[in-house]
Amino acid sequence: MLKKIPAMLLTAALLTGSVAVTAAFAQTAPVQQQKIQVNLNEKELVFPQDVVTENGVAYVNASTLAIALGGTAAWDTMKESLLIAKDNTYALRMYKNSTFAYKNGKETRVPNPPRQTTGAVLVPLVYIAQELGAEVTYDENSRTYNLSIAVEK
């Protein structure tokens, strides 16, 4: 019986310690990040994936953004690049993991390369929206990007 008491005390101490550690971690756990919203001409633009931020850059689904702004987007698996085009007057080819690009056939640099994810390609929201002719503002309080572009009728 005397041998069991130290074992029981040790077990109780370990359990109490693990509960205290768990409680401490629960108090310092980061708060769930609020979703970022994107509006186009004052209506919510819904993407198949949530907006992803990395180093202060918001990334969104390339096809959804391009189509909403009157363009197209297509991933070239052979060249691991993304082609975004609009109205036969604008073409941008961006390469995976590279800031090197071609804009209307001329070499250029982009601030952030496209990101390939499972089933989608993500592009930097502000840069691509501006390239496709949209004006972009950001409301930090509501975590909302507002895009505006003239709608052709």
Side-chain angles (χ1 to χ4, degrees):
M1 174 78 178
L2 289 177
K3 289 184 179 180
K4 289 184 178 181
I5 291 176
M8 289 171 49
L9 288 175
L10 179 61
T11 302
L14 288 173
L15 287 175
T16 304
S18 67
V19 169
V21 169
T22 302
F25 277 123
Q27 290 175 353
T28 60
V31 177
Q32 182 72 16
Q33 184 178 5
Q34 180 184 353
K35 276 180 72 170
I36 295 172
Q37 183 174 328
V38 179
N39 292 334
L40 174 59
N41 294 337
E42 299 182 10
K43 293 182 181 176
E44 184 176 4
L45 180 57
V46 179
F47 293 93
Q49 300 89 1
D50 286 341
V51 177
V52 175
T53 57
E54 183 177 296
N55 298 323
V57 178
Y59 289 87
V60 296
N61 182 285
S63 294
T64 303
L65 180 62
I67 291 167
L69 296 174
T72 60
W75 180 254
D76 182 339
T77 55
M78 297 295 285
K79 294 183 180 181
E80 291 196 311
S81 66
L82 176 69
L83 178 63
I84 296 176
K86 184 174 180 180
D87 298 333
N88 295 326
T89 59
Y90 175 83
L92 177 67
R93 182 175 294 273
M94 302 169 64
Y95 294 87
K96 179 181 174 184
N97 299 326
S98 175
T99 58
F100 176 81
Y102 285 102
K103 181 177 176 180
N104 294 333
K106 295 183 180 176
E107 290 183 16
T108 189
R109 295 280 176 195
V110 294
N112 306 93
R115 299 178 55 187
Q116 194 174 14
T117 63
T118 305
V121 177
L122 304 180
V123 293
L125 168 65
V126 173
Y127 177 73
I128 297 301
Q130 290 173 336
E131 285 291 304
L132 292 175
E135 290 184 30
V136 181
T137 60
Y138 179 66
D139 182 342
E140 195 170 332
N141 292 331
S142 65
R143 297 183 53 89
T144 301
Y145 284 91
N146 294 296
L147 314 180
S148 59
I149 192 167
V151 178
E152 294 180 23
K153 295 181 180 182

